[in-house]
Amino acid sequence: MKSFVRIFIVALCLTFPVGLAAEENSNSVFIYSPNPQGGLHIARQNGQGWQEMGRLCSSDYGTWGPEKKMYSPSVCRAKDGTWRLVFQVNDHAPLFAAAYSRDLVNWRPQDYPIMTTRPCREPVVFENPDGTFDIYYKSDKGKRFVSATPNFRDFAPDVASQISDDAWIRDTATIQGKLMQGQCFELSDRELQQIEDHFRLSGQDWQLSNERMHDDGERFASMNSPISATLRVDMSQQKPISDKLIGIFFEDISYAADGGLYAEMVQNRDFEYTPKDHGGWNATTAWHSSKPIEIATEHPLHPNNPHYALLWPDTIWNEGWDGMVVEKGKKYDFSMYVFAGGQKQDFMIQLVGQNGNVLAKSKLKTKASDWQQFSTVLTATASDTKARLVIIPQKAAHVGVDMISLFPQETFMNRKNGLRKDLAETIARLKPKFVRFPGGCMSHGQGLENIYHWNHTIGSLQERKPDFNIWHYHQTRGLGFYEYFQFCEDIGAEPLPVLAAGVPCQNSANNAEGIGGQQGGIPMDEMPAYVQEILNLIEWANGDPATSEWARKRAEAGHPEPFHLKYLGLGNEDIISTVFEERYEMLCRAVRATYPDIKICGTVGPFHAPSADYMEGWEFTKKHPDLQYMTDEHYYESTGWFMHHRDYYDHYDRTAAKVYLGEWAASTRTKRPNVETALAEALYLTDIERNGDVVEMTSYAPMLSKDGHSNWNPDMIYFSNTDVRTTPAYEVQRLFSNYGGDRYVTSTLVTSNTELNYRLGASVVRDSKTGKTFVKLVNALPVAVKLSVEGLSLTGARGEGFSGKPEEQQLNITNLQLGDNITLPPYSLSVVEL
Ligand code: AHR
């Protein structure tokens, strides 16, 4: 370790601007944090005192919301002009946060190096003469420790230090009437100007992003009559674009899987619910009896499903997922595993309606010396929307029961262990070109223990490993990787599994050691096994059962033919920390070396440019062009943002990795899809088609939300047990997907008032296989647009479209047939084919 005196002198020197040109002024700024949730701020000296300029960055540590705190930030300006920041994240974790920046406004994603002491109070950073850094912190007992770092990415284990209190001396400044502690620095005119420009531009962007159509009456007050526009199409100017632009994002969020798309009607069929799934839940949740239900674990059906129920003569019944929908005349497959030590036991199985009327019944005779599955079919003689499943033992015997299951025979494509027909058919109507699964945050999970392991979701239902869901409920994994791949095949979509890149969700709660966030990632000595697990997936999906053990499992499950997996996502909107990058690179290299044809999709964090993860993620992607084919961008934004960032992909590097816009949706304050959000999305999709040479895939997110169990809004499809309600967002996705092409035809939409262009969209694509041409026309103005078209005749073109008031959440889709004079109604989308 370097001596503190030496460091302190260096630090003092660095309070003067680095590389200040002779003619430049020096400007005093004060860097501080107003409160733990407030992040890092900057104020400037304006002659009369300190004037707040804005927030430079904030903490990204721990769970969403109030846990993300920044205590005692310490900033150091390095000799090379870059900035280094450390701060305390809470009062218990054995780590501190570290980040660096070239300009104070764009920060590299934060790293949280794990130390041996906890908590790491008031970390301070100093640069050494050789350009390395030392970070000192205090323990609870006031002891001092230091960790050295050559690069602000790798941090040496902490050792005790004798550093004096001087290291913690802070400057003070009164800002907006409050005395703050912080640090003073000098910036050149140019540096200060850059920061001012940054705040000014973000302010302008924020204003534009706040634009909402419900203010249009005022905004377009002088616009009373239709406007004219011309669409100039140049059929000779075409470029190839992705033929997979529209797919779907499936995440088990808001009861999308269990209780949703997965058609199982029994809730907690395996008696594996625990309070970890949801506060107050246990092995008997959703089950009822006149006496407490006895749960045992001594002789489990499978070690992965340790709990089962021991039945006495008492009747038990299952409430289903908010009840069970039973329809007269329909057949239901009941099955149950029984273990009765060889004695006979008969059960009466009934479906009982809300009034106590029996809707269906069947006797189940069992005799099982060890666990054995018994099944019967129930045929409903009456209907009910909130029925229950009743199991009545016929004599007094002590029997174990587990995996009690009830499926409608009518599932999507009538598959066993299948999907709810109406929901799956609604999804299929989107004609998605790919399906991303199983999430979202659910893929990388709530902490290391909850990372989704695909291999825990295949095989017989009892050998699949249930787990808690980051969205506060239970995953049976009955809808597992086999079922996801089968669904993709059934609807003609490419499978796009997205698995953790060796780190859990960056918003994970604390583990047993009190470490939240990425929790240091999967320990390096366990990474080889995790790498192998990912390789096994490819083998399982594509391998030959004659030679591959993993492929044999697929064949045994009923699919000897390969699933033809082409894409693999690694990571989900992770913080692009050093911990992430190391593991992600390791995974990519292994996949590239073993399966060079697999197209890897990486991640650039949870937000668009210029967020820290986006910037670092793309920098990493471009630095390693050999590793990945595509990278996954996520952004949920306001309608104003989408309308004012229509050129987002126009300037992307055409030679770099492709883009997968894996999670996106427009929202307004009402948080439900409406005509306004749909039109903002439609406008943006016309721009995506124009950029279909760089954007390979997009998927609106989330897709499904069950009434009463929503974790998120907006969603594309809302449903209950009895109905499925599509939204305007769904219709936009359906129209762009059903009328998609693989060639973009150059077209320009011209109006006399170019200031209105951001509210108008047009896109012409061709499908080279069918020879069809598709035209999408978006009018997000409150007046009609009289459109003349040059270079292409739309007369007689047929298609579909909608128009409505911005706030409307229900759409009427109308069939269109265009005449010689084309009028685009106010707030409308028209899609036609030629
Ligand atoms: O789509 C809902 C959630 O949004 C996803 O799980 C996550 O990836 C994102 O933050």
Side-chain angles (χ1 to χ4, degrees):
M1 273 324 127
K2 321 292 180 295
S3 87
F4 172 61
V5 177
R6 196 161 47 135
I7 295 161
F8 196 62
I9 291 166
V10 173
L12 275 178
C13 295
L14 292 174
T15 57
F16 293 99
V18 174
L20 188 68
E23 68 280 9
E24 281 192 291
N25 288 320
S26 159
N27 304 277
S28 299
V29 295
F30 183 71
I31 296 180
Y32 73 106
S33 174
N35 57 61
Q37 263 121 324
L40 193 70
H41 281 240
I42 185 167
R44 62 170 300 190
Q45 178 62 262
N46 67 1
Q48 280 130 32
W50 292 102
Q51 182 195 345
E52 167 72 10
M53 293 178 75
R55 188 169 70 185
L56 297 170
C57 71
S58 51
S59 171
D60 211 359
Y61 181 79
T63 54
W64 286 288
E67 229 206 13
K68 296 196 185 294
K69 289 189 179 142
M70 178 186 284
Y71 299 92
S72 313
S74 162
V75 173
C76 158
R77 184 164 207 188
K79 286 193 290 267
D80 62 3
T82 60
W83 299 84
R84 312 293 157 142
L85 163 69
V86 293
F87 60 90
Q88 180 185 331
V89 297
N90 58 30
D91 60 4
H92 56 268
L95 49 84
F96 52 80
Y100 60 81
S101 166
R102 291 188 189 100
D103 53 12
L104 276 179
V105 290
N106 296 298
W107 289 85
R108 194 187 165 269
Q110 290 154 21
D111 280 312
Y112 308 105
I114 297 172
M115 300 287 118
T116 58
T117 314
R118 70 174 64 217
C120 301
R121 287 198 184 281
E122 301 174 43
V124 284
V125 54
F126 299 102
E127 187 183 30
N128 298 308
D130 63 0
T132 65
F133 297 86
D134 287 343
I135 296 156
Y136 296 84
Y137 67 87
K138 297 177 188 168
S139 74
D140 260 346
K141 294 192 178 124
K143 287 193 177 153
R144 281 100 211 268
F145 296 86
V146 60
S147 166
T149 170
N151 51 12
F152 246 64
R153 303 287 292 260
D154 306 296
F155 297 84
D158 47 339
V159 292
S161 158
Q162 299 302 323
I163 191 167
S164 81
D165 280 348
D166 290 356
W168 279 274
I169 291 173
R170 286 286 199 274
D171 301 314
T172 56
T174 302
I175 296 164
Q176 291 165 344
K178 284 198 184 138
L179 187 67
M180 298 288 169
Q181 291 214 340
Q183 291 163 275
C184 283
F185 294 93
E186 294 295 317
L187 298 185
S188 69
D189 289 343
R190 184 183 42 83
E191 288 170 324
L192 189 67
Q193 188 62 51
Q194 271 174 4
I195 295 171
E196 277 175 341
D197 288 348
H198 163 82
F199 286 127
R200 186 176 40 78
L201 292 173
S202 345
Q204 284 168 1
D205 194 54
W206 190 80
Q207 288 270 338
L208 291 172
S209 300
N210 272 323
E211 181 172 327
R212 296 287 183 277
M213 292 180 198
H214 68 75
D215 305 323
D216 279 359
E218 213 177 297
R219 181 172 298 108
F220 299 111
S222 58
M223 197 187 274
N224 308 316
S225 48
I227 62 159
S228 301
T230 305
L231 178 65
R232 293 199 180 114
V233 184
D234 185 349
M235 292 301 285
S236 68
Q237 294 287 320
Q238 299 186 9
K239 66 174 174 184
I241 58 168
S242 167
D243 60 356
K244 296 181 186 55
L245 270 185
I246 309 283
I248 53 170
F249 165 94
F250 180 88
E251 171 163 30
D252 186 5
I253 181 173
S254 307
Y255 277 39
D258 294 301
L261 185 59
Y262 184 48
E264 172 64 81
M265 295 166 75
V266 177
Q267 186 179 180
N268 193 12
R269 67 179 175 196
D270 50 9
F271 302 98
E272 297 299 338
Y273 274 21
T274 74
K276 241 180 158 186
D277 297 318
H278 193 97
W281 284 9
N282 59 47
T284 63
T285 295
W287 290 97
H288 305 268
S289 182
S290 55
K291 298 215 185 88
I293 299 168
E294 197 180 331
I295 297 294
T297 53
E298 288 74 28
H299 186 65
L301 171 60
H302 192 279
N304 291 343
N305 270 279
H307 299 88
Y308 56 96
L310 274 178
L311 295 192
W312 281 99
D314 307 297
T315 297
I316 61 165
W317 59 272
N318 186 275
E319 65 190 41
W321 306 93
D322 307 325
M324 299 175 179
V325 177
V326 173
E327 282 182 70
K328 185 177 172 181
K330 298 256 163 95
K331 290 184 188 307
Y332 299 86
D333 288 335
F334 172 87
S335 64
M336 151 169 106
Y337 278 82
V338 176
F339 162 56
Q343 57 183 320
K344 280 191 187 161
Q345 175 60 300
D346 293 347
F347 298 90
M348 179 55 75
I349 312 297
Q350 294 180 340
L351 288 170
V352 176
Q354 292 169 83
N355 304 331
N357 49 325
V358 176
L359 311 168
K361 63 179 179 186
S362 177
K363 202 164 185 188
L364 190 74
K365 294 186 173 189
T366 74
K367 183 173 182 226
S369 44
D370 204 342
W371 286 108
Q372 197 181 320
Q373 191 181 34
F374 296 90
S375 52
T376 185
V377 175
L378 299 171
T379 305
T381 53
S383 301
D384 201 308
T385 54
K386 265 195 169 203
R388 58 201 155 108
L389 172 73
V390 181
I391 299 169
I392 312 165
Q394 298 294 286
K395 65 176 186 189
H398 213 187
V399 292
V401 292
D402 203 355
M403 271 307 158
I404 303 177
S405 170
L406 184 74
F407 269 88
Q409 278 194 352
E410 213 177 293
T411 58
F412 182 61
M413 314 241 329
N414 292 329
R415 296 211 175 274
K416 293 294 172 202
N417 194 45
L419 306 182
R420 201 176 122 174
K421 191 166 184 281
D422 55 352
L423 265 180
E425 284 176 350
T426 307
I427 295 168
R429 276 198 292 279
L430 290 166
K431 296 204 183 135
K433 307 301 176 290
F434 65 92
V435 181
R436 174 215 172 114
F437 56 89
C441 288
M442 207 211 62
S443 291
H444 55 178
Q446 162 64 287
L448 286 172
E449 299 308 314
N450 189 233
I451 285 179
Y452 189 97
H453 297 280
W454 75 272
N455 49 323
H456 293 178
T457 76
I458 57 165
S460 69
L461 296 181
Q462 59 268 26
E463 71 190 270
R464 301 184 187 190
K465 251 194 188 165
D467 204 353
F468 70 94
N469 185 319
I470 193 168
W471 300 108
H472 314 297
Y473 55 96
H474 181 85
Q475 308 174 51
T476 64
R477 268 76 186 273
L479 174 50
F481 260 43
Y482 183 84
E483 291 74 22
Y484 284 124
F485 274 79
Q486 184 62 66
F487 183 49
C488 291
E489 192 173 271
D490 287 346
I491 61 174
E494 294 289 349
L496 172 53
V498 174
L499 294 167
V503 292
C505 180
Q506 71 270 30
N507 301 301
S508 294
N510 294 332
N511 64 11
E513 283 83 50
I515 303 172
Q518 286 180 332
Q519 308 189 337
I522 293 179
M524 273 303 177
D525 58 345
E526 293 171 26
M527 273 305 286
Y530 186 67
V531 168
Q532 190 56 50
E533 180 179 318
I534 299 292
L535 298 178
N536 293 344
L537 168 63
I538 303 166
E539 197 56 33
W540 174 84
N542 293 350
D544 177 358
T547 53
S548 152
E549 179 206 333
W550 283 98
R552 202 151 43 241
K553 291 180 197 281
R554 184 196 71 231
E556 281 161 11
H559 204 288
E561 294 307 317
F563 276 124
H564 304 293
L565 174 68
K566 299 189 187 79
Y567 297 90
L568 175 65
L570 292 171
N572 170 64
E573 62 175 50
D574 296 282
I575 182 169
I576 313 297
S577 62
T578 306
V579 163
F580 165 86
E581 287 182 350
E582 283 166 357
R583 284 157 184 78
Y584 174 69
E585 185 173 347
M586 190 183 264
L587 285 160
C588 289
R589 291 213 181 282
V591 173
R592 297 289 299 137
T594 323
Y595 302 100
D597 292 339
I598 292 290
K599 294 175 168 173
I600 297 176
C601 176
T603 173
V604 291
F607 209 41
H608 55 66
S611 65
D613 300 306
Y614 174 95
M615 306 298 271
E616 174 71 16
W618 268 110
E619 197 173 316
F620 182 90
T621 302
K622 289 180 179 169
K623 212 159 101 192
H624 298 96
D626 54 320
L627 290 188
Q628 65 197 37
Y629 171 78
M630 184 165 78
T631 200
D632 182 9
E633 298 188 351
H634 291 184
Y635 41 92
Y636 298 95
E637 264 291 3
S638 62
T639 49
W641 187 90
F642 283 108
M643 292 191 295
H644 288 287
H645 289 85
R646 302 212 19 221
D647 60 348
Y648 193 79
Y649 293 110
D650 289 351
H651 314 292
Y652 265 48
D653 179 353
R654 266 49 198 170
T655 62
K658 303 270 183 204
V659 174
Y660 166 36
L661 178 51
E663 290 188 29
W664 75 292
S667 72
T668 60
R669 279 183 209 102
T670 54
K671 291 275 177 204
R672 284 266 168 157
N674 58 19
V675 169
E676 172 170 353
T677 58
L679 290 177
E681 286 154 7
L683 285 170
Y684 205 64
L685 280 174
T686 62
D687 308 317
I688 296 243
E689 285 192 330
R690 181 175 67 253
N691 285 289
D693 54 331
V694 64
V695 180
E696 173 110 342
M697 296 173 162
T698 68
S699 46
Y700 181 100
M703 181 170 62
L704 297 176
S705 176
K706 186 169 192 181
D707 298 347
H709 301 283
S710 173
N711 299 105
W712 196 276
N713 254 315
D715 305 277
M716 200 206 293
I717 301 168
Y718 294 87
F719 68 97
S720 68
N721 281 350
T722 48
D723 70 348
V724 176
R725 301 180 311 279
T726 58
T727 61
Y730 172 91
E731 294 303 344
V732 168
Q733 295 293 317
R734 185 182 65 79
L735 291 170
F736 274 79
S737 177
N738 283 233
Y739 296 80
D742 57 3
R743 300 191 70 77
Y744 182 78
V745 181
T746 301
S747 66
T748 328
L749 192 59
V750 191
T751 51
S752 51
N753 182 354
T754 51
E755 283 183 10
L756 300 178
N757 285 0
Y758 77 105
R759 292 279 191 127
L760 298 171
S763 164
V764 182
V765 299
R766 293 197 71 229
D767 181 346
S768 61
K769 285 176 232 79
T770 61
K772 285 186 176 164
T773 301
F774 302 110
V775 183
K776 286 128 194 152
L777 300 162
V778 191
N779 175 14
L781 287 166
V783 295
V785 173
K786 287 183 184 292
L787 186 73
S788 53
V789 182
E790 295 173 3
L792 185 70
S793 170
L794 297 191
T795 307
R798 288 170 186 274
E800 302 176 62
F802 66 81
S803 63
K805 296 206 169 65
E807 62 283 3
E808 278 171 9
Q809 294 178 10
Q810 298 288 325
L811 286 186
N812 280 330
I813 298 290
T814 46
N815 289 325
L816 304 174
Q817 180 166 9
L818 301 185
D820 291 340
N821 302 316
I822 301 170
T823 300
L824 308 179
Y827 298 122
S828 67
L829 167 63
S830 312
V831 179
V832 293
E833 79 176 50
L834 295 156

